[in-house]
Amino acid sequence: MGRRLTVPGPEPAPAPPSAGGLLPREFFDRPALDVAPGVLGCVLRHETDDGPVAVTITEVEAYLGAVDPASHSFRGRTARNAVMFGGPGHAYVYFTYGMHWCVNLVCLPSGIPEAVLLRAGRVTEGVPLAAARRQAGRAPGRAPAKAPAERDLARGPARLCQAMAIDRAQDGADVCDAGSPLQVLAPDGPVPPAAISRGPRVGISRATEEPWRFWITGDPTVSAYRPHMPKRRAPA
DNA sequence: GAACGGATTTTCT
DNA sequence: GAAAATCCGTTCC
């Protein structure tokens, strides 16, 4: 890499690694609000015995620590969120709603619990495998299994995990390790800041106004769900 | 095309 | 005991 003079203008992100290469750990050693827009366009790849599935990330949310009531780490460390308190570049995988898995990428050094939730992506490798997992993975006893559209394979945080076979076994996985089955790779082409939108997070009931959700403007794989539905108590 | 409610279990109060 | 960083099928425009 040749040395060159700096050009005018802001340069918040570290130098982008070569396209398709493993992201360096220092990429994640930054605040989640900086990492979140930076991972858009990057590729999450999971290699399993059934084959690889890779997804280009199109939608994410930042979750902070003590200042963020919507974050799992807001009330301190527990057995579930321990990975969020660990070092950067690891996967924090959690189970929710009795049936769904979601995956985050941990930011900042050990002891500072911030992370980026991966909310959606476009499957670029292993489409048939991803489709088979999504179709087989739906709740049994439910009506006719209709094949999901390709753009819906990883549209939503739980769908993304199902398509990629991410569950408890990947909690704590090092996504910066060359030998890891779960990795994050640099984008083929960087996403220009002008192509990134920003707004409130989805599905939370606290800190609902903070614009800590980032997505690629106009991308069809970005989730479009209602913000949050408060549950009424079951009748007696 | 948008809106609603059920499913299901882990986790923490 | 209640809520949860959700998804899916049904119902009603």
Side-chain angles (χ1 to χ4, degrees), chain A residues 3 31 72 116 123 129 147 173 197 200:
Chain A
R3 196 162 297 165
H72 287 171
V116 172
V123 180
L129 178 55
S197 296

Side-chain angles (χ1 to χ4, degrees), chain A residues 58-222:
Chain A
T58 57
E59 180 189 4
V60 298
E61 287 174 357
Y63 284 87
L64 280 51
V67 300
D68 183 5
S71 174
H72 287 171
S73 59
F74 179 64
R75 296 190 180 273
R77 179 176 176 148
T78 66
R80 174 170 73 152
N81 66 23
V83 172
M84 231 179 131
F85 285 77
H90 294 261
Y92 165 47
V93 182
Y94 68 90
F95 187 69
T96 192
Y97 288 103
M99 61 190 101
H100 296 305
W101 298 96
C102 298
V103 62
N104 298 248
L105 301 174
V106 176
C107 304
L108 290 177
S110 195
I112 309 180
E114 296 196 3
V116 172
L117 170 70
L118 305 185
R119 284 198 55 87
R122 179 170 53 87
V123 180
T124 56
E125 182 185 5
V127 168
L129 178 55
R133 285 171 173 159
R134 289 268 289 110
Q135 191 148 11
R138 63 187 58 202
R142 237 76 173 132
K146 185 181 166 188
E150 191 166 327
R151 71 179 45 166
D152 289 337
L153 289 178
R155 188 176 188 231
R159 289 165 164 181
L160 184 148
C161 281
Q162 188 163 58
M164 300 196 72
I166 291 174
D167 61 19
R168 187 108 203 150
Q170 279 70 46
D171 189 35
D174 186 350
V175 300
C176 298
D177 188 288
S180 175
L182 185 66
Q183 299 179 337
V184 180
L185 310 170
D188 293 332
V191 179
I196 297 177
S197 296
R198 166 174 195 173
R201 295 175 292 184
V202 172
I204 53 174
S205 55
R206 314 180 61 176
T208 56
E209 304 301 309
E210 304 289 357
W212 293 345
R213 173 178 177 235
F214 301 83
W215 67 94
I216 297 177
T217 309
D219 192 288
T221 64
V222 171

